[in-house]
Amino acid sequence: MGAHHINDNIMLSLLKRLALSHQGLTRNHSFGEGLAGTLKAIEHLGYVQIDTIAVVERAHHHVLWNRVPDYRLNHLNQLVQQRQIFEHWAHAASYLPMRDYRYAMPLMNAIRNGESRYYRADPHLMNEILAQVRAEGKIQLRQMEKETRQGTAGWWNRGPSRKALEQLFMQGDLMICERNGMEKVYDLTERCIAPDIDLSMPTLREYADYLLKMNIRAHGVFTWKQLVHLKGKDVREVMRTVLDDYIDAGLVQVLKFEHGQTFYVASAILEHQPIIQPELKILSPFDNLVIHRERLSCLFDFDYRIECYVPAAKRQYGYFCLPLLYADHLVGRIDCKVHRREKRLEVMALHLEESKVQDQAQFLLAFERELQRFAEFNQCSGVDVGKISHLMR
């Protein structure tokens, strides 16, 4: 397997711009606008992670807002109802393109066969839930818990019923057909899945090929660890063969840098020269660009960790600090909080890596514009920068 040894900073700069371009973060209309743009973005990215943390607008909306002009919060529900996307598991709970449904089936099958230690629900209870949904229609957890309190369904119990419902979803018997806020509404898969979807179980080779094509399409530039992140030994072994085949066919180039990092790049894009405007984007901690932290560090020289799971005394940047993308550099973090009753976006901290910002005055102008845009996205009429006002002068 041949490799190009690269020690040129110009090449690294190109790779960053290519990565941003493939993520749809270099120009406003990469995927189009509105509902159609939202679908195209999800199909291109391969998944959009669902997040339950609500310090600011949730990650699945945030990721799409950064890529799709005229994005609306109801677009995801609309696309689910149109059977264009569905919820399941990528590396975490995610929205996925319906066209890729069959590639979720190996995980569904493994859970159904008892291969996961996380899913051990009561089979009797699962059958009861399925029978009720089949007879009475859609169901949600709150409805089950209400019936338990009222004594109208004595076999419900909050802990076991939640586990049974989740397992039925994960093994593919139920699908989430809509959300009311973050509350899930379930129905039988046969009522939710698109009628023309291929339901044949992919082979390991087909699954590895799907993962590789998704990374080529969504990132353009990727690492081995990114490619096989959280995948089992059997997938990793087949992936090595598939990747070697792509390299031998000239479809993927191997770039080795002096510091020891190896990147894989789609050959077709190496002659491209994406234009990066000096604009700023406030990213979600779960944005597809930043989610693989090692690749982020190697490619963008940006060490990022979300700190909401870190004890308060040990936090360096804040509970839910958001990465700042400026031109083709990740230049810092901003810690924000939305006060919904007051419709106020509070900026609690701004941490800049100043060596990456050549013109701080220009950066601050871009920052103020984006902060106002971000406030509007979060349905806030005001921005409180009191805690960082000394940085804004």
Side-chain angles (χ1 to χ4, degrees), residues 95-368:
Y95 287 101
L96 301 126
M98 184 67 78
R99 68 181 189 188
D100 293 341
Y101 182 88
R102 67 187 292 246
Y103 298 107
M105 290 172 57
L107 176 59
M108 294 176 185
N109 202 46
I111 292 169
R112 183 187 303 278
N113 292 338
E115 296 172 25
S116 171
R117 60 189 175 92
Y118 297 107
Y119 296 96
R120 293 284 190 272
D122 178 1
H124 172 74
L125 187 51
M126 290 166 63
N127 286 334
E128 294 278 9
I129 293 172
L130 276 178
Q132 176 166 335
V133 176
R134 187 168 287 111
E136 301 178 17
K138 303 173 185 177
I139 198 168
Q140 53 199 62
L141 186 64
R142 181 167 58 176
Q143 170 191 342
M144 293 159 53
E145 293 171 349
K146 181 179 179 182
E147 290 172 350
T148 301
R149 290 193 298 272
Q150 294 176 344
T152 57
W155 47 272
W156 289 125
N157 179 281
R158 179 171 182 172
S161 63
R162 181 186 294 271
K163 291 178 181 178
L165 194 60
E166 184 67 13
Q167 181 163 339
L168 286 168
F169 164 72
M170 287 298 295
Q171 70 185 33
D173 293 310
L174 296 179
M175 290 180 77
I176 295 170
C177 58
E178 64 180 289
R179 280 181 181 257
N180 300 318
M182 287 301 290
E183 188 174 15
K184 306 167 189 175
V185 181
Y186 297 86
D187 203 348
L188 296 178
T189 293
E190 62 206 55
R191 295 174 185 160
C192 302
I193 197 169
D196 56 346
I197 291 300
D198 183 356
L199 296 178
S200 60
M201 185 68 67
T203 64
L204 272 175
R205 170 95 193 190
E206 288 175 322
Y207 182 65
D209 191 64
Y210 152 75
L211 290 175
L212 179 54
K213 285 179 177 175
M214 181 174 67
N215 276 275
I216 289 173
R217 182 183 68 241
H219 297 284
V221 181
F222 53 92
T223 67
W224 172 254
K225 285 187 177 180
Q226 177 186 357
L227 194 57
V228 295
H229 183 57
L230 298 179
K231 305 305 176 188
K233 181 181 178 182
D234 52 351
V235 174
R236 293 197 301 270
E237 289 176 350
V238 175
M239 181 64 80
R240 177 54 70 188
T241 301
V242 172
L243 180 58
D244 285 348
D245 288 347
Y246 272 64
I247 293 166
D248 292 342
L251 299 173
V252 170
Q253 300 286 324
V254 188
L255 304 182
K256 290 192 174 182
F257 286 76
E258 280 190 336
H259 56 67
Q261 181 60 50
T262 298
F263 291 106
Y264 299 93
V265 187
S267 303
I269 70 172
L270 277 172
E271 300 303 316
H272 296 180
Q273 294 286 337
I275 297 173
I276 308 295
Q277 301 295 333
E279 297 173 346
L280 186 134
K281 288 183 180 291
I282 298 172
L283 300 182
S284 166
F286 303 105
D287 194 280
N288 298 53
L289 178 73
V290 305
I291 201 64
H292 196 273
R293 310 304 195 207
E294 184 189 60
R295 182 244 195 188
L296 185 70
S297 176
C298 293
L299 187 56
F300 287 91
D301 188 28
F302 189 68
D303 293 316
Y304 176 71
R305 298 290 184 275
I306 189 171
E307 296 184 329
C308 54
Y309 308 113
V310 175
K314 294 185 178 181
R315 288 178 196 142
Q316 184 177 1
Y317 300 111
Y319 178 82
F320 201 65
C321 57
L322 311 172
L324 297 176
L325 175 66
Y326 183 55
D328 59 351
H329 296 286
L330 284 153
V331 299
R333 304 151 180 83
I334 182 173
D335 191 28
C336 298
K337 182 177 181 179
V338 171
H339 300 271
R340 288 181 171 80
R341 288 186 180 179
E342 304 166 33
K343 294 189 174 181
R344 175 171 60 95
L345 175 67
E346 180 184 10
V347 181
M348 295 177 287
L350 172 63
H351 304 274
L352 280 184
E353 298 180 12
E354 295 187 4
S355 63
K356 296 180 179 179
V357 180
Q358 294 181 349
D359 187 333
Q360 191 157 342
Q362 186 181 32
F363 168 81
L364 286 175
L365 285 173
F367 176 71
E368 289 175 8

